[in-house]
Amino acid sequence: MSIPLPLFIALPLASAFLLPLCGKKFKGFASLAATVVIAVLLVMSILSFGRFDVYIVGRWTIPLGINLVLDGLSALMLATISTVSFTAMLFSNRYMEQYTSKNKYLSLFLLMVTGMNGVVLSGDIFNLFVFLEIASIASYALVGFGCEHEELEAAFKYMTLGTVASMFVLFGVGVVYGNTGSLNMAVISRYVAENGINTGLAFALALFTTGFGLKAALVPFHAWLPDAHPSAPAPISAMLSGVLIKALGIYSLSRVIFNVLGISVQISWVLIALGVLSMVIGVFLAVGQWDFKRLLAYHSISQMGYVILGIGMAALILSNGGNPAWASLALLGGLFHLMNHAVFKSLLFLTSGSVEMSTGTRQLKELGGLAERLPVTRSTCTIASAAIAGVPPFNGFWSKLILVIAAVQAGLYGLAAVTVLVSIVTLISFLKVQRYVFLGELPENLKSTAEHRGLMACAMILLAILCVFMGALVIYEPFRVVVLDNAVNALSDGFAYAGKVLSAQILTGQ
Amino acid sequence: MSNELLPIIVFAPIVLGFITLFLPRALRYFTAPLTLLVTALVFLGAVGIFQDKTLSYSVPIFNIQEISFDLLLRNTSLSSFMILFAAGFTSLIAIYSVKSSMDNKAANIFYGAIMLTAGGSIGVLLADHLLVLLFFWEIVTVALYLMITTGQEKSNFAATKTFAMLGASDGALLLGILFTYKICGTFQMSHIAITENEPLAIAAFLLMAVAALTKAGAFPLHTWLPTSGQYSNAAVMAILPASIDKLLGIYLLVVLVLPQKGLFAMVAWDLRLVLAIIGAATVLIAVMIAMVQHNIKKLFAYHAISQVGYMVLGIATMNPIGLAGGLFHMLNHSIYKSCLFLCGGAVEESTGTAELEQLGGLGKKMPLTFMACFIAAMSISGVLPFNGFASKWLVYQGIIQMGKDTTTTAAILWPLWLVTAMFASALTLASFVKILHSVFLSRMPDALRETKEVSAFKFVPMMILAALCVIFGILYTLPLKIFIYPALGFKGDLQVLGFWDSSFATLMLMIGLCVGAVIIAAVSIGKKARKVPTWTCGEIQPNDSMIIPGTAFYKTVSSLEGLKQLYSWQEKEVFDPYTQAGKSGSGLTNMLKWLHNGILPIYMNWVTIGLLVLLFILCEIW
């Protein structure tokens, strides 16, 4: 069954504009409709695995028109986005009752999904920018959704730095257009493959790296994240840390570097440096935090470092002419870690939301002994902590293992050691979370705390089950080929992307 | 026996244990008997495994880029006897703790963790694939963490420290394993034999040895052990740190260094000096600290560290006698140390405290516990004819042998190792005299008048372990021939100078004891002892003021010039890698926090600087 690609964008976009019409009376209906839309997107994205599809908008062929491209990497991203947004939506149904104007929330949520789906499907670089802005602006509003002063401050900071990032990207798009005469990624890719990269394009590459690096919150472009992610409502924190930084940042960055402008030794080392800096600085900042969500936010920086490190190592191996097997292993590890991080980090944010909703605080020092009061939250949070710390058999173990194997095999022993070290510090900081939130003495004022069950618990259990069984994506070969290997090949093929997209256009006969 | 037994005995308890972790508390009446049943069945399976040493099981799981992840399990004579004892300890502890854990708030986590331990430890011992070994190794770590969290107040701190240190060593193990793979291109342990003494091989060996030594609790990575000893339940200490963690740590070390067969036999041969230093330092330092402890469980925990030193020393000799001694000592230690912890737990349960100052005179109230504790204490101190003596004797023989056979630095220094080991053994005895005195013998405080002996669930496991101490001591050739020699691949008997005749010595001891008993009886029969309250200058002294606590026994040692400073540093955790790493880590964190001051223009500056650097690199304008 072939699903028309524009549906991924049109469906959430249309519902985002229709839902506010429901008004206060039909609030329940609006939530239900939004959940159904996201569920449909989830099913569609799972069905799109293993497909390669180019959609020509309005029959204007490349290079004249706009195209949407679905390849292995886009499919992986789509599935990640839909999974996290589905569980976040389930969680929101009860959680967002604490706030007013839920319809606006739903509408912004769907807009953000629209933007992310658009980014990962877009086949031309200007539309990528447009969708990136849609998702970003929706997320600025969502960060400030509570309208408390710290939330507004965080949203303002986020918006300022986010706008700077968008401007860099737009500037880069302009420079690329001036140098190659096209905005279509396949055409640019073909141009670079034939003519090599010139100083103008290198300038654009630096701009893209900064812009997308800001969106991905890589050190030193990360400063907005620790304010923005904790300030948002918990399901939105889950969305931001879980998928937004990946779709807007990591995906765009790796797509542009691998498939459009091409890899070089310099950019590989830049990626590795960004990765290592993010991993180390992020994790050491995280371990010192006493605010539950802020701690999680710093871990997002650190974990994004893993992903970028994997991608950077692959780029280095490929551009040095090393063994491509280790390059694809590094990519596999990086991309798998991206999926895993989406799952366990959104789960962690949801559990933090559950704790905050039940106790009214997220300061670790004011909590304690909640294991008996919040059993579901405790179990799921423990599973997610084990997953992010890389305890077998949870999903994080497999991706980190693969990353370290790739680093050792490629002879990058120092990077392997850093990866393991950061993993140990991660473990320590989640032991801290367990110790202060769920173990120890229950404070007097929390004796009557009760857990919110229902859909919130469902969302958390769903993600916890994924944490336990997602290792199957690596272990079970057919899954790996369809989900991960396709995505890895999409990146490691490099400029072959152009040929594939352009020939697919001819095949569709348009 | 069919080969399918291997995966079943490993995975069935793990899966059941994992599910049990998440069950609601109300189901504990179901999970408690389930735990007993599972551990008993695992023990039966372990007996089966012990009888058939040819079992092996392999199934390919997946393959990425020529790297194969296969589930390879194989039984060897080294693993089979360790499996037998690991399963045995698990079921004994399950019996010991199953009833008292019912009242625990997190009962199901405790039961689940026991099952995880059963499966995980056997998995480590059976694994023939390094990553499979790592997998189970980590499961055992997690099980220990979960068990400690079920303890009382402050156990959360102990659990955190334990998992942090063991987790860090697991990270070292992972790196070591991958370096090994890089060198020889296979994960299959039976195919790995590294002969080149290159830097990568040395790094790999050291990393893996760190993991083994941390698990076993050797100096200087031992500090998780006393902390968890102080705050967690005695049963937890008895099952993992005292016995199974020792089995696993020493197993890995032997697998690495065993001459001719070990993964790193050649590399390790050159690093014997390092191992010997670690061994000797562990023996001496830990026992010195143990002497001045006031908490039974913490004191036992320091002895659990000190005894590791003997095992490491025995292995460091790398000659047959020393290796046999090291392994035998590991076995004996697991037996008497879990017995000791169980006794400590029994005392704590009956009296409500584990602090030596508040205990005393319990020998009459808890005779069975006293007997078990006495036998185990004599064993650990290396007193004839108990098992600890037999294995320490072998270790000493091994050290002397090492001095004869080779001329490397490690061998030339053999008198040093020998003297340290023997001196530490004397200190161990001293420290247990203190324990026996303060808990069981000295005057009983008034608060403990109502103390009762523990239930059969508790004393039966203690008695079994104490009986093993006696049997393995008197008939010490039996365990050597059945378990140790086959495990190391020796045929027949070892020719050792000064193998002692245990039956004669035991006979003499028994005669001596009988004569003593007769004398006591002869003197006391027919004479009535008169009991009067103590009084000084006309004042009757209250009972509690007349207690001579054992805690004062070795104060002179800790106030010796030179040692005094070291003891006070030790108290302040100056030598604790966990505390020190934590301090430097938080220094780094604070510096980074200071940089993140929340001022937007500064953040903008970072972005600008970042962009400039990128432009310099990418546009090649330098």
Side-chain angles (χ1 to χ4, degrees):
Chain A
M1 189 181 80
S2 171
I3 302 154
L5 296 183
L7 258 190
F8 281 106
I9 299 160
L11 194 59
L13 188 65
S15 35
F17 285 109
L18 292 177
L19 284 183
L21 299 179
C22 290
K24 252 190 185 161
K25 269 194 180 166
F26 301 99
K27 210 168 63 177
F29 170 76
S31 310
L32 182 69
T35 316
V36 169
V37 166
I38 302 281
V40 169
L41 285 177
L42 178 62
V43 173
M44 276 163 47
S45 63
I46 288 170
L47 289 177
S48 63
F49 271 124
R51 281 172 56 204
F52 181 84
D53 222 346
V54 178
Y55 182 87
I56 309 294
V57 179
R59 302 209 166 197
W60 292 83
T61 51
I62 302 170
L64 298 175
I66 296 168
N67 64 335
L68 298 178
V69 180
L70 174 78
D71 63 359
L73 184 61
S74 312
L76 181 145
M77 292 304 301
L78 279 179
T80 314
I81 294 167
S82 328
T83 312
V84 174
S85 44
F86 179 66
T87 47
M89 193 48 110
L90 281 186
F91 193 85
S92 310
N93 276 331
R94 172 72 187 80
Y95 187 84
M96 293 309 290
E97 295 296 324
Q98 302 174 90
Y99 295 79
T100 50
S101 60
K102 195 173 172 193
N103 285 346
K104 285 179 192 148
Y105 167 81
L106 293 174
S107 167
L108 286 167
F109 189 108
L110 286 167
L111 263 184
M112 194 161 77
V113 173
T114 310
M116 288 191 286
N117 281 353
V119 165
V120 299
L121 283 176
S122 170
D124 82 288
I125 206 160
F126 183 75
N127 268 308
L128 193 149
F129 165 74
V130 171
F131 286 118
L132 181 132
E133 276 294 87
I134 294 178
S136 299
I137 292 171
S139 69
Y140 305 149
L142 281 168
V143 165
F145 199 74
C147 287
E148 297 292 329
H149 65 95
E150 73 247 43
E151 286 154 4
L152 291 176
E153 188 196 328
F156 178 74
K157 246 181 235 174
Y158 177 28
M159 193 180 71
T160 316
L161 287 168
T163 313
V164 169
S166 303
M167 285 309 110
F168 280 150
V169 172
L170 183 60
F171 191 17
V173 170
V175 174
V176 167
Y177 184 65
N179 277 280
T180 62
S182 175
L183 286 171
N184 189 289
M185 296 208 278
V187 178
I188 303 167
S189 173
R190 195 177 54 190
Y191 173 89
V192 177
E194 284 165 5
N195 303 317
I197 196 161
N198 58 25
T199 315
L201 287 176
F203 179 55
L205 182 58
L207 288 170
F208 283 138
T209 313
T210 314
F212 295 135
L214 260 162
K215 295 285 180 196
L218 301 170
V219 175
F221 310 122
H222 65 288
W224 57 272
L225 185 141
D227 288 335
H229 284 196
S231 303
I236 293 305
S237 311
M239 285 293 283
L240 296 180
S241 267
V243 285
L244 189 82
I245 51 175
K246 303 185 180 74
L248 304 192
I250 309 282
Y251 166 84
S252 319
L253 191 59
S254 38
R255 178 68 91 193
V256 164
I257 288 176
F258 275 82
N259 295 138
V260 181
L261 295 176
I263 48 175
S264 62
V265 178
Q266 284 99 325
I267 190 69
S268 314
W269 278 113
V270 165
L271 289 181
I272 290 175
L274 287 174
V276 170
L277 275 178
S278 307
M279 279 160 72
V280 176
I281 293 182
V283 84
F284 275 104
L285 277 163
V287 79
Q289 299 302 321
W290 290 101
D291 179 324
F292 193 173
K293 282 172 86 177
R294 207 173 165 81
L295 185 147
L296 296 180
Y298 274 117
H299 273 295
S300 292
I301 298 175
S302 167
Q303 300 294 313
M304 282 307 94
Y306 277 96
V307 179
I308 281 294
L309 179 73
I311 291 168
M313 285 195 303
L316 183 71
I317 299 165
L318 285 176
S319 52
N320 272 340
N323 186 346
W326 308 139
S328 51
L329 200 62
L331 270 179
L332 182 85
L335 292 178
F336 189 39
H337 198 67
L338 182 150
M339 293 183 88
N340 291 338
H341 178 257
V343 172
F344 55 62
K345 185 49 70 62
S346 42
L347 174 52
L348 282 167
F349 269 116
L350 295 189
T351 56
S352 79
S354 168
V355 169
E356 190 181 359
M357 193 164 164
S358 299
T359 63
T361 179
R362 50 179 204 239
Q363 295 302 319
L364 296 183
K365 281 184 175 162
E366 295 167 15
L367 297 165
L370 290 173
E372 40 179 321
R373 306 299 316 167
L374 312 174
V376 175
T377 311
R378 193 269 160 114
S379 307
T380 49
C381 183
T382 308
I383 289 180
S385 306
I388 194 174
V391 172
F394 302 107
N395 53 4
F397 168 73
W398 298 104
S399 47
K400 286 186 185 179
L401 178 69
I402 290 171
L403 272 177
V404 184
I405 292 180
V408 172
Q409 290 300 320
L412 304 163
Y413 304 120
L415 293 180
V418 169
T419 315
V420 172
L421 178 77
V422 171
S423 184
I424 292 167
V425 185
T426 310
L427 170 71
I428 291 173
S429 74
F430 279 95
L431 288 175
K432 174 176 161 179
V433 170
Q434 291 291 316
R435 175 180 164 190
Y436 284 97
V437 179
F438 296 110
L439 302 174
E441 290 287 302
L442 190 64
E444 207 48 49
N445 58 341
L446 298 181
K447 288 267 192 253
S448 56
T449 313
E451 190 165 39
H452 294 271
R453 299 284 170 89
L455 284 179
M456 279 172 65
C458 277
M460 294 191 288
I461 291 171
L462 205 62
L463 286 170
I465 291 173
L466 275 181
C467 280
V468 178
F469 292 106
M470 246 170 82
L473 283 182
V474 161
I475 295 170
Y476 185 56
E477 179 123 359
F479 282 173
R480 189 172 79 234
V481 169
V482 170
V483 178
L484 288 166
D485 286 355
N486 272 339
V488 167
N489 293 338
L491 281 181
S492 59
D493 283 351
F495 292 131
Y497 169 82
K500 274 206 279 186
V501 172
L502 294 174
S503 60
Q505 158 176 271
I506 295 159
L507 279 179
T508 47
Q510 289 171 333
Chain B
M1 280 295 150
S2 106
N3 286 327
E4 273 70 35
L5 177 64
L6 299 187
I8 292 172
I9 200 175
V10 170
F11 284 106
I14 289 182
V15 171
L16 284 174
F18 185 73
I19 296 171
T20 306
L21 293 179
F22 299 103
L23 294 179
R25 183 161 184 268
L27 286 177
R28 66 190 188 282
Y29 297 102
F30 165 73
T31 49
L34 178 76
T35 313
L36 281 180
L37 183 69
V38 167
T39 49
L41 287 178
V42 166
F43 182 63
L44 282 184
V47 174
I49 288 178
F50 181 69
Q51 282 162 350
D52 187 350
K53 299 195 172 58
T54 57
L55 292 178
S56 73
Y57 180 84
S58 77
V59 56
I61 303 178
F62 66 105
N63 222 315
I64 306 182
Q65 314 288 1
E66 312 296 314
I67 298 175
S68 57
F69 295 75
D70 304 335
L71 179 65
L72 300 176
L73 300 174
R74 55 97 187 74
N75 193 17
T76 64
S77 10
L78 179 62
S79 353
S80 62
F81 93 88
M82 292 201 179
I83 290 170
L84 186 65
F85 279 92
F89 289 131
T90 321
S91 17
L92 280 184
I93 308 295
I95 295 170
Y96 178 90
S97 56
V98 81
K99 197 156 156 279
S100 52
S101 303
M102 280 279 195
D103 310 327
N104 197 316
K105 276 180 200 158
N108 278 331
I109 290 189
F110 187 80
Y111 297 139
I114 284 194
M115 287 189 258
L116 283 181
T117 309
S121 54
I122 294 178
V124 171
L125 296 167
L126 283 177
D128 192 25
H129 187 285
L130 282 171
L131 287 174
V132 175
L133 183 138
L134 175 82
F135 186 89
F136 291 121
W137 186 267
E138 185 83 27
I139 284 182
V140 177
T141 308
V142 175
L144 174 60
Y145 168 75
L146 291 174
M147 271 196 220
I148 298 179
T149 59
T150 61
Q152 293 88 25
E153 49 169 345
K154 276 200 123 183
S155 67
N156 56 351
F157 166 64
T160 304
K161 183 171 177 179
T162 304
F163 198 177
M165 292 191 70
L166 288 176
S169 77
D170 294 349
L173 181 63
L174 171 64
L175 269 188
I177 286 174
L178 295 183
F179 286 177
T180 313
Y181 178 75
K182 171 81 175 168
I183 299 168
C184 38
T186 175
F187 282 117
Q188 192 162 359
M189 288 156 72
S190 41
H191 291 177
I192 297 174
I194 289 170
T195 45
E196 289 283 316
N197 220 340
E198 54 182 322
L200 195 61
I202 294 176
F205 169 68
L206 288 178
L207 284 167
M208 289 172 80
V210 161
L213 290 172
T214 313
K215 195 81 150 183
F219 180 84
L221 297 167
H222 62 280
T223 51
W224 59 273
L225 239 164
T227 314
S228 54
Q230 192 171 0
Y231 298 118
S232 60
N233 290 331
V236 175
M237 292 306 288
I239 186 172
L240 274 164
S243 53
I244 291 182
D245 277 346
K246 297 279 182 287
L247 290 180
L248 300 185
I250 297 300
Y251 168 77
L252 183 58
L253 195 63
V254 170
V255 163
L256 294 181
V257 308
L258 193 63
Q260 274 111 45
K261 280 192 269 176
L263 309 186
F264 289 90
M266 292 300 287
V267 181
W269 180 258
D270 295 335
L271 293 171
R272 278 184 309 163
L273 183 62
V274 179
L275 283 180
I277 291 174
I278 291 176
T282 307
V283 171
L284 190 63
I285 295 172
V287 80
M288 298 282 285
I289 302 172
M291 282 174 72
V292 298
Q293 296 305 317
H294 295 182
N295 179 298
I296 307 182
K297 289 190 295 175
K298 200 173 179 187
L299 191 148
F300 287 165
Y302 272 112
H303 280 293
I305 298 159
S306 165
Q307 300 296 310
V308 174
Y310 287 102
M311 307 168 204
V312 176
L313 265 181
I315 291 168
T317 63
M318 298 204 188
N319 55 36
I321 307 164
L323 281 166
L327 270 190
F328 192 29
H329 198 65
M330 169 203 79
L331 189 56
N332 291 335
H333 173 266
S334 310
I335 297 168
Y336 58 63
K337 189 45 65 61
S338 24
C339 182
L340 283 171
F341 270 116
L342 295 188
C343 295
V347 168
E348 192 181 16
E349 188 193 271
S350 297
T351 63
T353 179
E355 298 296 326
L356 290 181
E357 287 96 337
Q358 298 165 24
L359 294 168
L362 290 175
K364 283 178 204 153
K365 297 280 180 189
M366 310 175 70
L368 295 171
T369 309
F370 178 39
M371 200 168 82
C373 190
F374 179 76
I375 293 175
M378 290 302 112
S379 305
I380 193 174
S381 316
V383 171
L384 280 165
F386 300 106
N387 59 356
F389 174 76
S391 47
K392 279 185 187 173
W393 184 247
L394 277 181
V395 172
Y396 300 155
Q397 295 277 334
I399 295 174
I400 297 171
Q401 192 84 31
M402 173 167 79
K404 276 189 201 153
D405 288 352
T406 52
T407 52
T408 50
T409 326
I412 291 167
L413 288 174
W414 71 270
L416 181 64
W417 318 135
L418 189 64
V419 169
T420 316
M422 287 179 155
F423 180 56
S425 187
L427 294 185
T428 310
L429 180 59
S431 143
F432 274 93
V433 166
K434 165 175 155 180
I435 282 272
L436 291 176
H437 169 84
S438 6
V439 179
F440 295 106
L441 296 176
S442 69
R443 192 180 281 259
M444 180 184 289
D446 293 332
L448 300 183
R449 296 265 168 235
E450 302 302 312
T451 312
K452 290 207 172 57
E453 180 62 282
V454 283
S455 70
F457 273 112
K458 304 228 158 177
F459 71 69
V460 168
M462 294 191 302
M463 297 314 274
I464 292 176
L465 290 168
L468 276 178
C469 286
V470 178
I471 295 169
F472 280 15
I474 296 176
L475 304 172
Y476 67 95
T477 45
L478 215 62
L480 280 177
K481 275 186 189 144
I482 300 176
F483 304 125
I484 310 291
Y485 292 164
L488 294 167
F490 304 151
K491 303 246 166 21
D493 230 343
L494 278 182
Q495 291 306 310
V496 190
L497 273 173
F499 243 145
W500 60 291
D501 185 354
S502 61
S503 45
F504 181 66
T506 313
L507 190 68
M508 295 307 284
L509 274 169
M510 295 310 276
I511 292 173
L513 284 176
C514 290
V515 171
V518 168
I519 293 173
I520 291 175
V523 173
S524 57
I525 282 174
K527 286 183 188 170
K528 255 189 185 172
R530 193 171 62 99
K531 285 190 177 173
V532 289
T534 321
W535 61 278
T536 49
C537 307
E539 291 285 334
I540 291 183
Q541 292 294 321
N543 176 41
D544 280 6
S545 73
M546 298 308 292
I547 297 173
I548 303 165
T551 46
F553 274 18
Y554 308 114
K555 273 198 175 150
T556 38
V557 179
S558 57
S559 55
L560 276 182
E561 277 312 316
L563 282 183
K564 203 162 123 191
Q565 187 61 41
L566 287 177
Y567 271 112
S568 80
W569 278 338
Q570 197 275 325
E571 278 297 304
K572 288 181 202 146
E573 301 183 341
V574 175
F575 305 114
D576 188 343
Y578 179 73
T579 313
Q580 294 310 317
K583 272 186 190 164
S584 32
S586 59
L588 183 57
T589 303
N590 287 336
M591 197 191 75
L592 289 170
K593 268 188 179 171
W594 175 74
L595 285 172
H596 288 70
N597 50 10
I599 297 169
L600 193 53
I602 292 187
Y603 291 171
M604 275 308 301
N605 285 343
W606 295 356
V607 173
T608 319
I609 294 168
L611 176 65
L612 286 176
V613 173
L614 286 184
L615 282 177
F616 271 115
I617 297 173
L618 293 177
C619 301
E620 301 182 7
I621 24 177
W622 47 70

